[in-house]
Amino acid sequence: MVVNYELWTMLGTWFSGFAMVSSVIVSLYLSTRLNKVKIKVEFFPTLINASITGECCISPGISVINIGERNVILTDYGIYLNRKFSISFIPSETNIVLPYELKPESSVNIQLSNEALIQIYNEGLIPNNSKVSVYVKTLAGNRYKIKIKVPFNELVKHAYDYSVWSSRKY
């Protein structure tokens, strides 16, 4: 039996070339995937204890969780109605200072101002019974949002009523 070494050399060369191209493709895919910003946004009510009066009130909040492998810089947050209309909140003293750097696998809670929500409601900026979203915006300009299940006017109406918050799913 005669062994054709040229055939085996050619097949080995082709196989090693295919393996090299495959490894480059996999490494490029993994490097871009690890470098993506991955944020989870949650909406929840926050119980606030007013230090002056000693009374408790409820304020809506946004929880931002960085589930990616890179730092994310938050630059803005607010209420999102549609592509043409959103309202940014000015950070209050009890909130985070923007821009805020969110490390991998960490989270931050952002408290929305009840006074700002009531002002938006009183000025009629958002129509009654409109479903809105809350959003956070990153330095890259991407908005990450979550829909609130109740209409905006109902959210504002019950801003200070803890019994409503505890019985509803937002």
Side-chain angles (χ1 to χ4, degrees), residues 103-116:
K103 306 260 186 237
E105 299 180 13
S106 64
S107 66
V108 64
N109 292 334
I110 303 172
Q111 180 183 331
L112 301 178
S113 166
N114 281 344
E115 290 78 21

Side-chain angles (χ1 to χ4, degrees), residues 66 71-74 96-104 106 108:
N66 184 0
N71 291 353
V72 177
I73 298 177
L74 305 177
I96 63 172
V97 177
L98 295 177
Y100 182 82
E101 186 173 1
L102 193 58
K103 306 260 186 237
S106 64
V108 64

Side-chain angles (χ1 to χ4, degrees), residues 22-137:
S22 299
S23 66
V24 168
I25 290 171
V26 168
S27 67
L28 288 174
Y29 170 74
L30 290 176
S31 68
T32 57
R33 184 180 171 143
L34 288 177
N35 207 19
K36 277 189 174 180
V37 172
K38 297 176 189 170
I39 292 179
K40 182 179 178 184
V41 179
E42 297 174 346
F43 178 77
F44 63 92
T46 307
L47 184 61
I48 300 170
N49 190 2
S51 59
I52 298 171
T53 61
E55 297 176 0
C56 291
C57 65
I58 301 295
S59 180
I62 307 170
S63 178
V64 184
I65 306 160
N66 184 0
I67 55 177
E69 297 294 325
R70 63 181 278 201
N71 291 353
V72 177
I73 298 177
L74 305 177
T75 59
D76 189 19
Y77 64 94
I79 295 178
Y80 180 88
L81 185 60
N82 54 40
R83 283 189 207 162
K84 296 179 182 177
F85 187 78
S86 63
I87 300 173
S88 295
F89 279 86
I90 298 171
S92 66
E93 296 156 3
T94 60
N95 268 327
I96 63 172
V97 177
L98 295 177
Y100 182 82
E101 186 173 1
L102 193 58
K103 306 260 186 237
E105 299 180 13
S106 64
S107 66
V108 64
N109 292 334
I110 303 172
Q111 180 183 331
L112 301 178
S113 166
N114 281 344
E115 290 78 21
L117 289 173
I118 292 169
Q119 181 181 356
I120 292 166
Y121 177 75
N122 289 339
E123 291 176 6
L125 296 174
I126 297 178
N128 278 343
N129 297 322
S130 294
K131 298 258 180 136
V132 296
S133 301
V134 290
Y135 74 90
V136 293
K137 192 174 183 181

